Amino acid sequence: MSKIKRAVLSILPGIFLIGYNIGTGSVTAMSKAGANFGLDLLWAILISCVITYYLIVLFSRFTMVTSQTFIQGVKDHIHPGLAILLLVSLSVIIISALIGILGIIAEVLQVWYMTVFGNATPAVLWAIVVGAGIYFLLWMGNYSFFEKVLAVLVAIMGIAFIATALINFPSLSELAGGLVPSLPETADGSDNSPLVILAGMVGTTVSVFVFIIRSQIVKEIGWQIQDNSIQRRDALVSASMMFLIGASIMITAATTLHFQGLKLNNVTEMIPLLEPLAGKATLSVFVIGILAAGLSSHLPNMLVIPWLIIDYKKDRRDTTTGFHRILLLLLTLASIGGVGFGFKPVFIMMLSQACLSIVLPVTIASIFYLTSRRSIMNKHVNTLPDLLVLSFIMLFSLYMSWVGISGLIVDLAFT
């Protein structure tokens, strides 16, 4: 095997994580931040990606040392009840995400088709096509296959977003100004607070799913502590790409919508707004990026619940069994049904946001505890710098949770 091929294969796990991290939620959050505040919150993407890199490395180190996934470590070394709580909370979040992501993909295709061709096609038809296609891939594939599919989708997404940003690239002084931490003034509207938008950006970047799935992937491919340099490089590629793609989305919104004084609350609103500003060609490239982001999130998100169940039971990771194929079919039907019936999962979305606000601090606190125990980590236990960094991240996650819940309460007051 050539050195180039080995190098590419060694970073596929990190590219797989980008699929979890950059989805329609991230596109919406970064677009909204760019439209409302220009590049003022660019620094938040950078800090979030640095934190994400550190935590990817930490979760990987735990699994490389113990040969246990994070969920297994929580079950064996903390309490099985906490592991079950994490599984239930994550499942609620994922079901909501699956409905929301497929709905956004269908709406994006519907709005784009109407904008470019002038014909209306029901969103549910797009949902059926996309949902069936993803289920077919899940029926036929395995982890190695998923890696390759996600790598292609992430490459398309990255090229599309970066190319769109380069068309109206800002000056270097504007970029440098955006990397200086500051909070812009609150824009009009209940959901336009910079703190709430900041919480959304951080929540979609510092993703608890990325860290838990990373732990599973490290065990799956058999990395040991002697492979630490490889996994750190892989994590760096992953976090760097997350920053480049997230920043490109923000730059696109900042140099078009913000420049025109336009605001948005949903990524689908960006499509008709962008056409007169950027032209049909640029619009189509951006839509391709959105679709790649949605598909690269929907596919691995479909695997989360089966993988969590397998993880907790310590079974061999095989999603082609009859039970898991039925489970994946039910998740697919639920996603399509949500679009077909015009289901607006307000309650589930509220519940999922509450769960996510709880899950991230609990997850960080758990890995903090596990990696600080010498009986578990031996000589690879957390050092003093690790303890200081983790303490900062823990406080940061608690603050972001408080901001997110406060923003949710404010938004509910306006509904």
Side-chain angles (χ1 to χ4, degrees), residues 292-357:
L295 292 172
S296 67
S297 289
H298 194 72
L299 191 154
N301 279 344
M302 286 284 291
L303 293 167
V304 169
I305 294 177
W307 278 5
L308 287 174
I309 294 172
I310 290 170
D311 201 5
Y312 183 83
K313 294 169 66 177
K314 300 183 180 180
D315 289 340
R316 186 172 64 89
R317 189 157 66 170
D318 180 10
T319 55
T320 60
T321 64
F323 168 76
H324 289 109
R325 280 177 169 170
I326 291 172
L327 178 58
L328 290 170
L329 178 61
L330 292 174
L331 291 172
T332 300
L333 293 175
S335 304
I336 295 173
V339 180
F341 290 106
F343 178 56
K344 304 297 182 183
V346 176
F347 175 74
I348 292 182
M349 288 299 291
M350 287 164 49
L351 186 59
S352 71
Q353 287 186 49
C355 287
L356 190 58
S357 297

Side-chain angles (χ1 to χ4, degrees), residues 63-255:
T63 298
M64 289 189 298
V65 171
T66 65
S67 297
Q68 286 187 311
T69 65
F70 170 73
I71 293 294
Q72 292 168 1
V74 171
K75 179 182 178 182
D76 292 347
H77 301 295
I78 300 179
H79 197 280
L82 180 59
I84 292 173
L85 174 64
L86 287 172
L87 262 63
V88 172
S89 300
L90 292 170
S91 296
V92 170
I93 297 168
I94 279 295
I95 291 171
S96 172
L98 289 173
I99 295 172
I101 290 172
L102 188 60
I104 291 176
I105 291 174
E107 288 180 9
V108 166
L109 285 168
Q110 183 186 40
V111 173
W112 171 77
Y113 196 81
M114 171 64 77
T115 302
V116 176
F117 297 103
N119 296 323
T121 303
V124 67
L125 293 182
W126 293 113
I128 292 172
V129 171
V130 174
I134 294 293
Y135 183 71
F136 175 76
L137 291 176
L138 293 171
W139 180 282
M140 299 297 294
N142 51 34
Y143 172 68
S144 177
F145 174 74
F146 298 146
E147 270 191 337
K148 295 177 176 64
V149 172
L150 263 293
V152 172
L153 289 173
V154 168
I156 294 171
M157 173 178 62
I159 291 170
F161 285 139
I162 292 171
T164 308
L166 289 174
I167 293 171
N168 293 297
F169 201 72
S171 66
L172 293 179
S173 60
E174 289 177 297
L175 283 177
L179 293 174
V180 178
S182 63
L183 281 178
E185 294 182 5
T186 301
D188 295 333
S190 65
D191 56 352
N192 288 328
S193 164
L195 285 177
V196 174
I197 294 175
L198 178 62
M201 291 169 58
V202 172
T204 58
T205 306
V206 187
S207 171
V208 65
F209 293 105
V210 167
F211 312 131
I212 292 176
I213 297 301
R214 173 64 169 202
S215 174
Q216 295 175 343
I217 290 173
V218 169
K219 183 173 182 179
E220 174 87 4
I221 62 182
W223 275 341
Q224 302 297 319
I225 194 63
Q226 57 265 31
D227 301 308
N228 192 43
S229 60
I230 297 175
Q231 77 86 11
R232 289 177 73 94
R233 181 184 63 194
D234 174 78
L236 182 61
V237 169
S238 181
S240 299
M241 284 301 298
M242 290 174 191
F243 174 74
L244 285 175
I245 294 172
S248 296
I249 298 167
M250 180 180 287
I251 288 170
T252 299
T255 55

